[in-house]
Amino acid sequence: MTALRAVDVHKAYRRGREQVHALRGVTLEVHPGEVVALLGRSGSGKTTLLNCLLGWETPDSGEVTVPGAAEPGAAPWRTVAVVPQRFGLLDELTLADNVAVPAQLAGIADPGEAALATLGALQLGHLADRLPDEVSLGEQQRTALARALVVRPAFLVADEPTARLDEEMSTRVLATLREVHAAAGTGVLIAGHDPLAVAAADRVVQLSDGVLLG
Ligand SMILES: Nc1ncnc2c1ncn2[C@@H]1O[C@H](COP(=O)(O)OP(=O)(O)OP(=O)(O)O)[C@@H](O)[C@H]1O
Ligand SMILES: [Mg+2]
């Protein structure tokens, strides 16, 4: 498995007459089995960089390499799973069904069982039959993480996965991530501001106004 890689990526948005340079030549690699924390204040370009790595947005220039992608720039969701900043749960499905959907699409033998096991690992087992609207934002956030982990991806890209969790729950979620990582050698990229995520990372990089520092 090769690395998840962005090389000299530039991305600008146009807002009326204004150009916003969200990324100005960013190079970043996440190797298999590595946990990388991507820090940077709000608006520094973290989500834009993740979206470019996922093929959700096209860089203006530069190159993105995604392991296992059939076409350049399009991340296969089974290989590179995502926890979006806005979770993207399906409102009409229970938490268990939200997590079971990708398991089923991935051809996992018992998707319902896999969903319950993953929800249980994130302390959500007792909420499996609830709808997203019937649980807290932090619980929705952990459900989005369960939905990503249930397919046992080679890489996990998580956009502020602990932003709505208290310290105790953040610690538990990060411990779960480290366990998954240790058991399956998952490469993890976590964007956010959380000092606990920094502590859980093998390597920390910082975005500042679209430029990556160290
Ligand atoms: N669709 C868009 N149109 C115009 N500007 C955008 C768009 N998306 C992002 N931007 C701008 O690009 C810059 C980077 O945004 P981005 O969402 O990547 O930041 P971020 O580091 O993820 O911030 P946060 O921590 O608040 O999530 C910001 O100045 C933002 O306002
Ligand atoms: Mg963001």
Side-chain angles (χ1 to χ4, degrees):
M1 188 64 65
T2 52
L4 186 59
R5 182 182 298 126
V7 179
D8 198 21
V9 165
H10 288 257
K11 178 77 186 175
Y13 295 108
R14 186 163 281 290
R15 233 178 343 215
R17 281 207 213 133
E18 194 193 355
Q19 279 268 93
V20 180
H21 290 278
L23 299 176
R24 311 164 189 256
V26 173
T27 296
L28 174 67
E29 273 191 344
V30 182
H31 297 281
E34 184 184 34
V35 178
V36 178
L38 173 65
L39 304 185
R41 63 170 180 74
S42 182
S44 59
K46 300 182 298 297
T47 296
T48 306
L49 177 58
L50 300 191
N51 288 348
C52 286
L53 282 168
L54 295 165
W56 291 2
E57 293 192 65
T58 313
D60 297 332
S61 65
E63 214 170 293
V64 172
T65 318
V66 178
E71 294 169 26
W77 56 269
R78 286 189 60 183
T79 308
V80 186
V82 189
V83 184
Q85 193 164 11
R86 300 179 183 137
F87 325 128
L89 298 173
L90 297 171
D91 294 336
E92 66 277 20
L93 296 187
T94 63
L95 303 195
D97 287 343
N98 264 286
V99 178
V101 167
Q104 187 159 22
L105 293 172
I108 288 173
D110 190 341
E113 186 59 41
L116 288 180
T118 312
L119 285 169
L122 291 163
Q123 285 79 40
L124 291 167
H126 61 299
L127 301 174
D129 292 331
R130 298 236 199 135
L131 296 173
D133 275 356
E134 298 167 344
V135 302
S136 75
L137 277 177
E139 288 158 351
Q140 290 178 31
Q141 185 156 45
R142 279 181 286 140
T143 304
L145 181 57
R147 180 190 53 192
L149 292 177
V150 75
V151 299
R152 300 176 185 280
F155 287 90
L156 177 75
V157 172
D159 202 349
E160 313 215 15
T162 57
R164 291 183 180 79
L165 307 181
D166 61 27
E167 190 174 330
E168 188 191 338
M169 196 47 83
S170 296
T171 304
R172 282 202 208 175
V173 162
L174 290 165
T176 305
L177 271 184
R178 289 236 53 124
E179 277 165 27
V180 168
H181 163 261
T186 312
V188 181
L189 179 59
I190 308 176
H193 319 261
D194 187 349
L196 293 168
V198 173
D202 300 316
R203 186 155 66 89
V204 178
V205 292
Q206 181 141 15
L207 257 181
S208 173
D209 275 338
V211 177
L212 206 64
L213 317 169

